Amino acid sequence: MLYCGAISVCMLWYVTQTTQDYIQLNQRLQLIETERSRSHLAAAESMLDDVQAGIERKAGTGVLSGVALRERALLRDDEGRSDEAIPLYERALAIFRAEPAAGSTVLGLTLANLASAHADCGDFASALALATEAITMLRSFSTQIGRASCRER
């Protein structure tokens, strides 16, 4: 019985530590997004390097890894380097599709970002297909939200 208790304490510590790591990494990703939105691209890039290393070290390839890739792609887009952003968006999208926790909003917005990058590069056929998928996904999500709010009334 003591052995089971020790395992439970170890599991509780692990879950607590993992949750704290996740919260800290998520907060740092939000700071990066703020720096990028203020056009402090070099600062955002430097911060993103540190965060991505932390994510890989602690969290693996989950949703946060996808968010970090999407942030890096957004930086490339902001710098006018959409051709470099496309593979980053695609990698983020693959992670989000494999992680149900990502949700349809994150998927839809990433698809829209990828569509925009393709349009910037002159690949309008891919841009249209991706934008259509993004709109369908986001419309589906907003319809689900609308139904849920009607049931709450």
Side-chain angles (χ1 to χ4, degrees):
M1 218 37 170
L2 180 61
Y3 180 72
C4 285
I7 290 174
S8 295
V9 169
C10 289
M11 287 300 291
L12 180 61
W13 176 86
Y14 175 76
V15 168
T16 302
Q17 187 64 42
T18 302
T19 302
Q20 289 173 346
D21 290 345
Y22 180 87
I23 290 169
Q24 181 186 31
L25 289 171
N26 191 41
Q27 289 170 338
R28 291 175 67 194
L29 281 168
Q30 289 173 354
L31 287 173
I32 291 166
E33 186 175 341
T34 300
E35 288 298 309
R36 186 184 54 74
S37 69
R38 294 180 177 162
S39 296
H40 301 156
L41 304 182
E45 182 87 30
S46 176
M47 292 168 65
L48 190 53
D49 290 340
D50 292 340
V51 168
Q52 200 155 14
I55 289 170
E56 290 168 2
R57 188 174 54 253
K58 294 181 181 189
T61 59
V63 173
L64 284 179
S65 183
V67 171
L69 284 166
R70 188 187 66 212
E71 279 300 314
R72 193 171 298 280
L74 288 166
L75 279 168
R76 295 296 180 271
D77 262 344
D78 289 349
E79 295 167 338
R81 296 162 44 193
S82 296
D83 58 321
E84 294 176 24
I86 289 171
L88 297 170
Y89 284 131
E90 289 171 343
R91 285 175 49 206
L93 203 53
I95 290 169
F96 295 150
R97 287 187 195 277
E99 291 282 342
S104 58
T105 302
V106 171
L107 273 167
L109 293 174
T110 305
L111 282 163
N113 293 136
L114 180 58
S116 176
H118 275 285
D120 290 344
C121 291
D123 183 0
F124 301 112
S126 293
L128 180 59
L130 290 161
T132 302
E133 185 180 354
I135 289 168
T136 301
M137 187 168 290
L138 292 169
R139 184 179 294 142
S140 169
F141 176 73
S142 68
T143 302
Q144 291 170 3
I145 295 296
R147 285 187 194 136
S149 65
C150 287
R151 279 181 276 199
E152 291 173 3
R153 292 181 195 168

